[in-house]
Amino acid sequence: MSTEALRLYVLLCGYEILEKTVSTRDRGGRFLLAEPVSAYLIETARGHVLVDTGLNSAIVRDPALREEHYTKQGIRPPVILPEHELAPQLAQIGVRPEDVDHVILTHMHLDHAGNLAMFRHARISVQRAEHAHAFSPAHGPAWFERDYDLPGLRWDLVEGDWEALPGVEVVLTRGHTPGHQSVVVALKETGSVVIVGDAGDLAENFVDEVLPGESVDDEAALASIRRLKRIARERGARLLLGHDPQLIQNVRLLPASYA
C-alpha cells in the first residue's frame, strides 16, 4: 500500500440534539438523538490535514448570536463542553491550529465549518458547487455565513474526485448538499477508512440504504451511499460515521489514534 498518511485522530467536538428524522428520512419521528459532531486529523508525511472543523462554540455562548443562529431558526443549540473544543484537543497531541496547513471540508454546514477562523493560513479544499451554494442567498439555516464568510481564507475549489496526497483520496458524494465529499484514508496498519461526512449519519443509512433527512438530490444521495458501501466492500474499509451515537463510543478518540 503506497500511502503518505501516517496516523488518523478522531475528535469529538460536541453533540447536536436532533429528531432522528434529520438523519433517517421518514424514520424515527418520535425520537430525539444526541448525535456526536466529529472532526478528523490526518498526520501525513507532508504535514497535518484536518477534515472538518466542528462547531463554533462562540455562537452558542453568546445569547444574541445563539438566538439569531439557532433559536430563531428552530434549531436546538448544540452541547459543546470544554473538552469538545477543537484547539485544546489538538494541543493534547502537540498540534497547534497553525500547524494544520490543509483543511478539507466534507461540506459547509454549521457543524463542519464552525472553526474555519482558526485556519486562515491553511488551504481550505471544498467542492466548487458547495462553496457557491454556501455564498448564495439560496442556502438554508444550517449554513452559518459568520463561520466562513471571512477575509483571508485560502479557498481551494475542487470539482469531482481528487487526491489530496497519496493515501488521502477525496470522492464526490453529492446529495445531502450540492457539493458533499467524503475522504478515503489508507493507513499502513489499520488499512483503509472512509470519513463519510453526512452522506449518511448513522449505520442505518448504510445497512438499509435510508436517505438522509435533508437532501438536494435524492437520487444522488442514494447513489453516494451505495458508492461508499462499494468502496468499503472493495477495499475492506471501515466507515467512520461522524454522527452515529453508538459508533462514537467504540472508536479510538484523540489522543488515541489509528496508524
Side-chain angles (χ1 to χ4, degrees), residues 129-143:
E130 185 75 11
H131 183 272
H133 185 75
F135 281 90
S136 80
H139 73 69
W143 280 264

Side-chain angles (χ1 to χ4, degrees), residues 31-117:
F31 305 113
L32 287 177
L33 297 182
E35 294 196 6
V37 173
S38 303
Y40 307 87
L41 183 73
I42 309 168
E43 180 185 336
T44 82
R46 305 185 194 186
H48 293 92
V49 179
L50 183 66
V51 180
D52 290 338
T53 66
L55 294 148
N56 184 347
S57 61
I59 294 177
V60 180
R61 290 195 306 266
D62 184 290
L65 292 177
R66 185 172 65 245
E67 175 75 13
E68 175 188 352
H69 288 80
Y70 287 101
T71 309
K72 283 187 176 179
Q73 306 300 329
I75 305 172
R76 294 179 187 85
V79 176
I80 309 171
L81 301 179
E83 56 265 35
H84 297 146
E85 295 283 0
L86 190 69
Q89 288 191 74
L90 294 175
Q92 290 184 50
I93 55 172
V95 175
R96 303 166 301 170
E98 52 264 40
D99 296 329
V100 175
D101 48 25
H102 191 186
V103 173
I104 298 172
L105 296 178
T106 59
H107 60 304
M108 292 176 64
H109 275 169
L110 63 97
D111 49 342
H112 296 262
N115 288 299
L116 283 177

Side-chain angles (χ1 to χ4, degrees), residues 106-107 109 111-112 176 180-182 196-201 212 242-243:
T106 59
H107 60 304
H109 275 169
D111 49 342
H112 296 262
H176 175 60
H180 192 282
Q181 54 186 1
S182 304
V196 167
D198 286 6
D201 291 346
H243 290 303

Side-chain angles (χ1 to χ4, degrees), residues 62-240:
D62 184 290
L65 292 177
R66 185 172 65 245
E67 175 75 13
E68 175 188 352
H69 288 80
Y70 287 101
T71 309
K72 283 187 176 179
Q73 306 300 329
I75 305 172
R76 294 179 187 85
V79 176
I80 309 171
L81 301 179
E83 56 265 35
H84 297 146
E85 295 283 0
L86 190 69
Q89 288 191 74
L90 294 175
Q92 290 184 50
I93 55 172
V95 175
R96 303 166 301 170
E98 52 264 40
D99 296 329
V100 175
D101 48 25
H102 191 186
V103 173
I104 298 172
L105 296 178
T106 59
H107 60 304
M108 292 176 64
H109 275 169
L110 63 97
D111 49 342
H112 296 262
N115 288 299
L116 283 177
M118 294 182 188
F119 303 102
R120 295 174 193 263
H121 60 283
R123 169 188 169 199
I124 302 170
S125 297
V126 66
Q127 289 286 325
R128 184 179 299 276
E130 185 75 11
H131 183 272
H133 185 75
F135 281 90
S136 80
H139 73 69
W143 280 264
F144 287 2
E145 292 185 18
R146 172 179 290 273
D147 287 338
Y148 56 76
D149 190 2
L150 303 171
L153 291 185
R154 297 175 48 209
W155 295 108
D156 169 38
L157 304 184
V158 298
E159 297 184 22
D161 298 350
W162 59 284
E163 184 181 73
L165 68 163
V168 180
E169 176 187 354
V170 186
V171 296
L172 179 64
T173 45
R174 179 180 181 275
H176 175 60
T177 63
H180 192 282
Q181 54 186 1
S182 304
V183 184
V184 184
V185 183
L187 295 164
K188 291 182 179 177
E189 295 178 16
T190 303
S192 292
V193 297
V194 181
I195 299 171
V196 167
D198 286 6
D201 291 346
L202 311 178
E204 188 177 337
N205 292 101
F206 292 90
V207 173
D208 296 339
E209 297 187 353
V210 181
L211 289 174
E214 179 182 345
S215 165
V216 298
D217 183 332
D218 286 356
E219 185 177 346
L222 180 57
S224 292
I225 286 171
R226 289 174 173 168
R227 183 183 191 194
L228 292 176
K229 288 177 66 174
R230 183 171 64 253
I231 290 172
R233 183 173 61 252
E234 292 174 351
R235 305 189 190 187
R238 175 178 186 171
L239 296 178
L240 283 180

